[in-house]
Amino acid sequence: MLSIENTLVSLDVIEEQFVCDLRACKGACCVQGDYGAPLTEEELPILEKIYEAVKPYLTPEGAFTIEKEGKHVYIEEEEKYATPLRHDGACAYTIFENGTAFCGIERAWKDGKIDFQKPISCHLYPIRITQHKHYEAVNYERWSICKAACKNGKQLKVPVYRFLKDAIIRKYGEHYYRALEDYAQFANNK
């Protein structure tokens, strides 16, 4: 474990390699799982605010699910908020292009309709953050649907943290990312 500010970072974030391969997985992380994307409490009012701008990007089933269940749901057994799931198990904000899943929120952001890219948990994936009383645990989550991304990362020699540079900076800041880089350089020079 590596301690940076109020986080404990699994060394897997630095040592493991990962680069998404959408041609192989087709965006499976948006359509599989027991619940939708984990949300921070700060993101809840943002989803309320941006919904009308995002709605034109969504599938009819996604919009129906959101209007029925809400922009977010509370998962009691996990004690956290998440995006709602459509009847088929996909995140309600998921859209499809040529059989590949993408985020409707991110599509609206790319088109300049909103200034919120997507939930930070999605942007950081495969890093998962667990909030504890006095710190956050920053872990690399292994999921079988990401085998191609692991293989791709190894071929390209891209560590998880480097693949997620923009997301890490968005969450924790440039100085935090530099601390990860510094540690990786130190570890590689031992």
Side-chain angles (χ1 to χ4, degrees):
M1 287 289 188
L2 173 63
S3 178
I4 304 175
E5 298 173 5
N6 291 330
T7 68
L8 285 179
V9 182
S10 165
L11 293 182
D12 288 347
V13 170
I14 294 165
E15 296 168 354
E16 296 295 326
Q17 297 171 332
F18 189 98
V19 174
C20 280
D21 185 351
L22 286 175
R23 292 179 315 219
C25 73
K26 304 290 186 198
C29 59
C30 296
V31 298
Q32 293 185 25
D34 296 330
Y35 54 89
L39 298 168
T40 66
E41 288 197 30
E42 296 79 21
E43 291 173 325
L44 305 182
I46 294 170
L47 291 180
E48 295 288 338
K49 179 183 166 193
I50 66 171
Y51 179 69
E52 289 304 318
V54 171
K55 184 178 176 180
Y57 292 86
L58 303 179
T59 64
E61 186 178 0
F64 174 80
T65 300
I66 292 166
E67 290 169 15
K68 180 179 172 194
E69 294 186 28
K71 308 333 182 260
H72 49 78
V73 296
Y74 186 72
I75 312 298
E76 288 189 39
E77 58 271 13
E78 296 288 328
E79 297 182 350
K80 64 174 116 178
Y81 291 96
T83 58
L85 295 179
R86 300 180 340 187
H87 179 70
D88 63 1
C91 171
Y93 293 95
T94 299
I95 60 173
F96 293 90
E97 294 176 7
N98 301 317
T100 299
F102 293 94
C103 180
I105 296 169
E106 188 170 32
R107 192 66 72 206
W109 173 78
K110 284 182 177 179
D111 286 350
K113 304 293 184 189
I114 58 175
D115 60 4
F116 177 72
Q117 186 171 354
K118 60 182 167 183
I120 194 66
S121 66
C122 300
H123 200 186
L124 281 169
Y125 197 78
I127 286 178
R128 282 289 187 226
I129 297 173
T130 306
Q131 184 67 51
H132 295 277
K133 188 173 183 177
H134 299 291
Y135 69 94
E136 290 181 340
V138 180
N139 291 300
Y140 167 56
E141 181 176 84
R142 288 170 177 80
W143 195 3
S144 60
I145 63 172
C146 294
K147 285 181 183 174
C150 296
K151 181 180 177 185
N152 200 24
K154 282 185 175 109
Q155 287 175 341
L156 298 171
K157 298 181 180 1
V158 177
V160 173
Y161 80 92
R162 196 168 295 144
F163 171 69
L164 295 172
K165 178 179 180 177
D166 292 342
I168 292 168
I169 291 171
R170 175 182 166 205
K171 173 71 175 165
Y172 293 115
E174 185 83 41
H175 62 286
Y176 188 95
Y177 182 80
R178 278 195 307 269
L180 286 172
E181 280 272 290
D182 290 347
Y183 178 82
Q185 276 188 318
F186 170 77
N188 288 334
N189 291 330
K190 278 186 177 181

PDB file of all heavy atoms in Angstrom, residues 18-43:
ATOM      1  N   PHE A  18      -3.142  -1.910 -17.966  1.00  0.00           N
ATOM      2  CA  PHE A  18      -4.544  -1.900 -18.394  1.00  0.00           C
ATOM      3  C   PHE A  18      -4.748  -0.809 -19.444  1.00  0.00           C
ATOM      4  O   PHE A  18      -4.331   0.324 -19.244  1.00  0.00           O
ATOM      5  CB  PHE A  18      -5.424  -1.588 -17.175  1.00  0.00           C
ATOM      6  CG  PHE A  18      -6.894  -1.755 -17.389  1.00  0.00           C
ATOM      7  CD1 PHE A  18      -7.534  -2.912 -16.977  1.00  0.00           C
ATOM      8  CD2 PHE A  18      -7.659  -0.753 -17.966  1.00  0.00           C
ATOM      9  CE1 PHE A  18      -8.900  -3.064 -17.144  1.00  0.00           C
ATOM     10  CE2 PHE A  18      -9.009  -0.897 -18.149  1.00  0.00           C
ATOM     11  CZ  PHE A  18      -9.641  -2.058 -17.730  1.00  0.00           C
ATOM     12  N   VAL A  19      -5.405  -1.155 -20.544  1.00  0.00           N
ATOM     13  CA  VAL A  19      -5.867  -0.185 -21.540  1.00  0.00           C
ATOM     14  C   VAL A  19      -7.160  -0.750 -22.117  1.00  0.00           C
ATOM     15  O   VAL A  19      -7.152  -1.836 -22.706  1.00  0.00           O
ATOM     16  CB  VAL A  19      -4.838   0.056 -22.671  1.00  0.00           C
ATOM     17  CG1 VAL A  19      -5.431   0.951 -23.761  1.00  0.00           C
ATOM     18  CG2 VAL A  19      -3.558   0.673 -22.124  1.00  0.00           C
ATOM     19  N   CYS A  20      -8.260  -0.035 -21.956  1.00  0.00           N
ATOM     20  CA  CYS A  20      -9.554  -0.514 -22.460  1.00  0.00           C
ATOM     21  C   CYS A  20      -9.443  -0.914 -23.930  1.00  0.00           C
ATOM     22  O   CYS A  20      -8.731  -0.275 -24.706  1.00  0.00           O
ATOM     23  CB  CYS A  20     -10.619   0.561 -22.329  1.00  0.00           C
ATOM     24  SG  CYS A  20     -11.289   0.692 -20.672  1.00  0.00           S
ATOM     25  N   ASP A  21     -10.168  -1.963 -24.271  1.00  0.00           N
ATOM     26  CA  ASP A  21     -10.231  -2.447 -25.647  1.00  0.00           C
ATOM     27  C   ASP A  21     -11.712  -2.613 -25.994  1.00  0.00           C
ATOM     28  O   ASP A  21     -12.267  -3.701 -25.878  1.00  0.00           O
ATOM     29  CB  ASP A  21      -9.475  -3.770 -25.783  1.00  0.00           C
ATOM     30  CG  ASP A  21      -9.396  -4.270 -27.223  1.00  0.00           C
ATOM     31  OD1 ASP A  21     -10.068  -3.676 -28.097  1.00  0.00           O
ATOM     32  OD2 ASP A  21      -8.675  -5.246 -27.463  1.00  0.00           O
ATOM     33  N   LEU A  22     -12.343  -1.502 -26.384  1.00  0.00           N
ATOM     34  CA  LEU A  22     -13.784  -1.512 -26.658  1.00  0.00           C
ATOM     35  C   LEU A  22     -14.177  -2.444 -27.785  1.00  0.00           C
ATOM     36  O   LEU A  22     -15.297  -2.950 -27.812  1.00  0.00           O
ATOM     37  CB  LEU A  22     -14.285  -0.097 -26.958  1.00  0.00           C
ATOM     38  CG  LEU A  22     -14.402   0.825 -25.757  1.00  0.00           C
ATOM     39  CD1 LEU A  22     -14.794   2.229 -26.195  1.00  0.00           C
ATOM     40  CD2 LEU A  22     -15.389   0.280 -24.750  1.00  0.00           C
ATOM     41  N   ARG A  23     -13.258  -2.704 -28.708  1.00  0.00           N
ATOM     42  CA  ARG A  23     -13.578  -3.652 -29.786  1.00  0.00           C
ATOM     43  C   ARG A  23     -13.832  -5.038 -29.218  1.00  0.00           C
ATOM     44  O   ARG A  23     -14.640  -5.793 -29.740  1.00  0.00           O
ATOM     45  CB  ARG A  23     -12.455  -3.715 -30.811  1.00  0.00           C
ATOM     46  CG  ARG A  23     -12.291  -2.442 -31.630  1.00  0.00           C
ATOM     47  CD  ARG A  23     -11.145  -2.614 -32.582  1.00  0.00           C
ATOM     48  NE  ARG A  23     -10.008  -3.218 -31.851  1.00  0.00           N
ATOM     49  CZ  ARG A  23      -8.758  -2.908 -32.010  1.00  0.00           C
ATOM     50  NH1 ARG A  23      -8.416  -2.027 -32.895  1.00  0.00           N
ATOM     51  NH2 ARG A  23      -7.808  -3.473 -31.310  1.00  0.00           N
ATOM     52  N   ALA A  24     -13.149  -5.381 -28.134  1.00  0.00           N
ATOM     53  CA  ALA A  24     -13.285  -6.711 -27.534  1.00  0.00           C
ATOM     54  C   ALA A  24     -14.443  -6.786 -26.538  1.00  0.00           C
ATOM     55  O   ALA A  24     -15.233  -7.717 -26.575  1.00  0.00           O
ATOM     56  CB  ALA A  24     -11.984  -7.114 -26.847  1.00  0.00           C
ATOM     57  N   CYS A  25     -14.556  -5.808 -25.661  1.00  0.00           N
ATOM     58  CA  CYS A  25     -15.551  -5.903 -24.579  1.00  0.00           C
ATOM     59  C   CYS A  25     -16.879  -5.259 -24.924  1.00  0.00           C
ATOM     60  O   CYS A  25     -17.883  -5.519 -24.263  1.00  0.00           O
ATOM     61  CB  CYS A  25     -15.005  -5.292 -23.299  1.00  0.00           C
ATOM     62  SG  CYS A  25     -14.918  -3.481 -23.325  1.00  0.00           S
ATOM     63  N   LYS A  26     -16.899  -4.373 -25.908  1.00  0.00           N
ATOM     64  CA  LYS A  26     -18.132  -3.677 -26.334  1.00  0.00           C
ATOM     65  C   LYS A  26     -18.748  -2.830 -25.217  1.00  0.00           C
ATOM     66  O   LYS A  26     -19.945  -2.605 -25.196  1.00  0.00           O
ATOM     67  CB  LYS A  26     -19.167  -4.663 -26.861  1.00  0.00           C
ATOM     68  CG  LYS A  26     -18.694  -5.544 -27.995  1.00  0.00           C
ATOM     69  CD  LYS A  26     -18.511  -4.741 -29.238  1.00  0.00           C
ATOM     70  CE  LYS A  26     -18.165  -5.647 -30.417  1.00  0.00           C
ATOM     71  NZ  LYS A  26     -17.589  -4.924 -31.508  1.00  0.00           N
ATOM     72  N   GLY A  27     -17.910  -2.379 -24.266  1.00  0.00           N
ATOM     73  CA  GLY A  27     -18.419  -1.535 -23.178  1.00  0.00           C
ATOM     74  C   GLY A  27     -19.209  -2.312 -22.138  1.00  0.00           C
ATOM     75  O   GLY A  27     -20.144  -1.799 -21.537  1.00  0.00           O
ATOM     76  N   ALA A  28     -18.801  -3.548 -21.902  1.00  0.00           N
ATOM     77  CA  ALA A  28     -19.534  -4.435 -20.990  1.00  0.00           C
ATOM     78  C   ALA A  28     -19.679  -3.872 -19.582  1.00  0.00           C
ATOM     79  O   ALA A  28     -20.646  -4.184 -18.891  1.00  0.00           O
ATOM     80  CB  ALA A  28     -18.869  -5.807 -20.941  1.00  0.00           C
ATOM     81  N   CYS A  29     -18.755  -3.022 -19.144  1.00  0.00           N
ATOM     82  CA  CYS A  29     -18.853  -2.475 -17.787  1.00  0.00           C
ATOM     83  C   CYS A  29     -20.085  -1.586 -17.623  1.00  0.00           C
ATOM     84  O   CYS A  29     -20.534  -1.356 -16.506  1.00  0.00           O
ATOM     85  CB  CYS A  29     -17.583  -1.731 -17.394  1.00  0.00           C
ATOM     86  SG  CYS A  29     -17.141  -0.353 -18.470  1.00  0.00           S
ATOM     87  N   CYS A  30     -20.666  -1.119 -18.720  1.00  0.00           N
ATOM     88  CA  CYS A  30     -21.883  -0.305 -18.665  1.00  0.00           C
ATOM     89  C   CYS A  30     -23.152  -1.148 -18.634  1.00  0.00           C
ATOM     90  O   CYS A  30     -24.230  -0.631 -18.359  1.00  0.00           O
ATOM     91  CB  CYS A  30     -21.962   0.629 -19.871  1.00  0.00           C
ATOM     92  SG  CYS A  30     -20.660   1.855 -19.954  1.00  0.00           S
ATOM     93  N   VAL A  31     -23.023  -2.433 -18.956  1.00  0.00           N
ATOM     94  CA  VAL A  31     -24.227  -3.262 -19.082  1.00  0.00           C
ATOM     95  C   VAL A  31     -24.242  -4.469 -18.151  1.00  0.00           C
ATOM     96  O   VAL A  31     -25.247  -5.160 -18.072  1.00  0.00           O
ATOM     97  CB  VAL A  31     -24.440  -3.729 -20.545  1.00  0.00           C
ATOM     98  CG1 VAL A  31     -24.635  -2.541 -21.462  1.00  0.00           C
ATOM     99  CG2 VAL A  31     -23.294  -4.585 -21.027  1.00  0.00           C
ATOM    100  N   GLN A  32     -23.145  -4.730 -17.449  1.00  0.00           N
ATOM    101  CA  GLN A  32     -23.104  -5.872 -16.537  1.00  0.00           C
ATOM    102  C   GLN A  32     -22.853  -5.391 -15.120  1.00  0.00           C
ATOM    103  O   GLN A  32     -22.280  -4.333 -14.905  1.00  0.00           O
ATOM    104  CB  GLN A  32     -22.004  -6.844 -16.959  1.00  0.00           C
ATOM    105  CG  GLN A  32     -22.278  -7.511 -18.284  1.00  0.00           C
ATOM    106  CD  GLN A  32     -21.235  -8.565 -18.619  1.00  0.00           C
ATOM    107  OE1 GLN A  32     -20.594  -9.124 -17.747  1.00  0.00           O
ATOM    108  NE2 GLN A  32     -21.091  -8.842 -19.896  1.00  0.00           N
ATOM    109  N   GLY A  33     -23.284  -6.170 -14.178  1.00  0.00           N
ATOM    110  CA  GLY A  33     -23.064  -5.850 -12.774  1.00  0.00           C
ATOM    111  C   GLY A  33     -24.363  -5.932 -11.988  1.00  0.00           C
ATOM    112  O   GLY A  33     -25.447  -6.028 -12.559  1.00  0.00           O
ATOM    113  N   ASP A  34     -24.218  -5.884 -10.681  1.00  0.00           N
ATOM    114  CA  ASP A  34     -25.375  -6.020  -9.798  1.00  0.00           C
ATOM    115  C   ASP A  34     -26.135  -4.717  -9.605  1.00  0.00           C
ATOM    116  O   ASP A  34     -27.300  -4.717  -9.221  1.00  0.00           O
ATOM    117  CB  ASP A  34     -24.926  -6.545  -8.435  1.00  0.00           C
ATOM    118  CG  ASP A  34     -24.348  -7.945  -8.533  1.00  0.00           C
ATOM    119  OD1 ASP A  34     -24.775  -8.703  -9.433  1.00  0.00           O
ATOM    120  OD2 ASP A  34     -23.471  -8.282  -7.716  1.00  0.00           O
ATOM    121  N   TYR A  35     -25.464  -3.599  -9.814  1.00  0.00           N
ATOM    122  CA  TYR A  35     -26.117  -2.290  -9.710  1.00  0.00           C
ATOM    123  C   TYR A  35     -25.380  -1.315 -10.615  1.00  0.00           C
ATOM    124  O   TYR A  35     -24.344  -1.631 -11.177  1.00  0.00           O
ATOM    125  CB  TYR A  35     -26.171  -1.789  -8.260  1.00  0.00           C
ATOM    126  CG  TYR A  35     -24.849  -1.744  -7.541  1.00  0.00           C
ATOM    127  CD1 TYR A  35     -24.046  -0.615  -7.607  1.00  0.00           C
ATOM    128  CD2 TYR A  35     -24.403  -2.823  -6.787  1.00  0.00           C
ATOM    129  CE1 TYR A  35     -22.838  -0.563  -6.949  1.00  0.00           C
ATOM    130  CE2 TYR A  35     -23.181  -2.783  -6.128  1.00  0.00           C
ATOM    131  CZ  TYR A  35     -22.419  -1.652  -6.208  1.00  0.00           C
ATOM    132  OH  TYR A  35     -21.207  -1.588  -5.554  1.00  0.00           O
ATOM    133  N   GLY A  36     -25.939  -0.123 -10.761  1.00  0.00           N
ATOM    134  CA  GLY A  36     -25.365   0.860 -11.675  1.00  0.00           C
ATOM    135  C   GLY A  36     -24.071   1.462 -11.149  1.00  0.00           C
ATOM    136  O   GLY A  36     -23.511   1.013 -10.147  1.00  0.00           O
ATOM    137  N   ALA A  37     -23.621   2.492 -11.828  1.00  0.00           N
ATOM    138  CA  ALA A  37     -22.369   3.153 -11.465  1.00  0.00           C
ATOM    139  C   ALA A  37     -22.483   3.787 -10.083  1.00  0.00           C
ATOM    140  O   ALA A  37     -23.431   4.520  -9.808  1.00  0.00           O
ATOM    141  CB  ALA A  37     -22.046   4.237 -12.490  1.00  0.00           C
ATOM    142  N   PRO A  38     -21.514   3.515  -9.193  1.00  0.00           N
ATOM    143  CA  PRO A  38     -21.522   4.171  -7.884  1.00  0.00           C
ATOM    144  C   PRO A  38     -21.438   5.695  -8.062  1.00  0.00           C
ATOM    145  O   PRO A  38     -20.731   6.194  -8.939  1.00  0.00           O
ATOM    146  CB  PRO A  38     -20.265   3.635  -7.202  1.00  0.00           C
ATOM    147  CG  PRO A  38     -19.964   2.348  -7.904  1.00  0.00           C
ATOM    148  CD  PRO A  38     -20.407   2.561  -9.322  1.00  0.00           C
ATOM    149  N   LEU A  39     -22.173   6.410  -7.223  1.00  0.00           N
ATOM    150  CA  LEU A  39     -22.223   7.868  -7.295  1.00  0.00           C
ATOM    151  C   LEU A  39     -21.806   8.476  -5.963  1.00  0.00           C
ATOM    152  O   LEU A  39     -22.118   7.937  -4.907  1.00  0.00           O
ATOM    153  CB  LEU A  39     -23.646   8.339  -7.615  1.00  0.00           C
ATOM    154  CG  LEU A  39     -24.219   7.892  -8.946  1.00  0.00           C
ATOM    155  CD1 LEU A  39     -25.722   8.179  -9.006  1.00  0.00           C
ATOM    156  CD2 LEU A  39     -23.502   8.565 -10.103  1.00  0.00           C
ATOM    157  N   THR A  40     -21.133   9.611  -6.025  1.00  0.00           N
ATOM    158  CA  THR A  40     -20.830  10.364  -4.812  1.00  0.00           C
ATOM    159  C   THR A  40     -22.046  11.225  -4.484  1.00  0.00           C
ATOM    160  O   THR A  40     -22.871  11.531  -5.361  1.00  0.00           O
ATOM    161  CB  THR A  40     -19.609  11.278  -5.009  1.00  0.00           C
ATOM    162  OG1 THR A  40     -19.934  12.294  -5.970  1.00  0.00           O
ATOM    163  CG2 THR A  40     -18.383  10.485  -5.475  1.00  0.00           C
ATOM    164  N   GLU A  41     -22.158  11.635  -3.243  1.00  0.00           N
ATOM    165  CA  GLU A  41     -23.282  12.493  -2.870  1.00  0.00           C
ATOM    166  C   GLU A  41     -23.235  13.822  -3.617  1.00  0.00           C
ATOM    167  O   GLU A  41     -24.280  14.389  -3.928  1.00  0.00           O
ATOM    168  CB  GLU A  41     -23.314  12.705  -1.355  1.00  0.00           C
ATOM    169  CG  GLU A  41     -23.757  11.442  -0.643  1.00  0.00           C
ATOM    170  CD  GLU A  41     -24.194  11.657   0.787  1.00  0.00           C
ATOM    171  OE1 GLU A  41     -24.701  12.749   1.118  1.00  0.00           O
ATOM    172  OE2 GLU A  41     -24.028  10.713   1.574  1.00  0.00           O
ATOM    173  N   GLU A  42     -22.027  14.283  -3.952  1.00  0.00           N
ATOM    174  CA  GLU A  42     -21.892  15.540  -4.703  1.00  0.00           C
ATOM    175  C   GLU A  42     -22.437  15.409  -6.122  1.00  0.00           C
ATOM    176  O   GLU A  42     -22.837  16.411  -6.736  1.00  0.00           O
ATOM    177  CB  GLU A  42     -20.426  15.975  -4.767  1.00  0.00           C
ATOM    178  CG  GLU A  42     -19.784  16.304  -3.433  1.00  0.00           C
ATOM    179  CD  GLU A  42     -19.350  15.072  -2.631  1.00  0.00           C
ATOM    180  OE1 GLU A  42     -19.158  13.984  -3.209  1.00  0.00           O
ATOM    181  OE2 GLU A  42     -19.241  15.210  -1.403  1.00  0.00           O
ATOM    182  N   GLU A  43     -22.459  14.190  -6.655  1.00  0.00           N
ATOM    183  CA  GLU A  43     -22.943  13.986  -8.025  1.00  0.00           C
ATOM    184  C   GLU A  43     -24.467  13.936  -8.124  1.00  0.00           C
ATOM    185  O   GLU A  43     -25.018  14.149  -9.204  1.00  0.00           O
ATOM    186  CB  GLU A  43     -22.346  12.699  -8.606  1.00  0.00           C
ATOM    187  CG  GLU A  43     -20.860  12.819  -8.859  1.00  0.00           C
ATOM    188  CD  GLU A  43     -20.206  11.521  -9.278  1.00  0.00           C
ATOM    189  OE1 GLU A  43     -20.622  10.435  -8.800  1.00  0.00           O
ATOM    190  OE2 GLU A  43     -19.256  11.592 -10.087  1.00  0.00           O
TER     191      GLU A  43
END
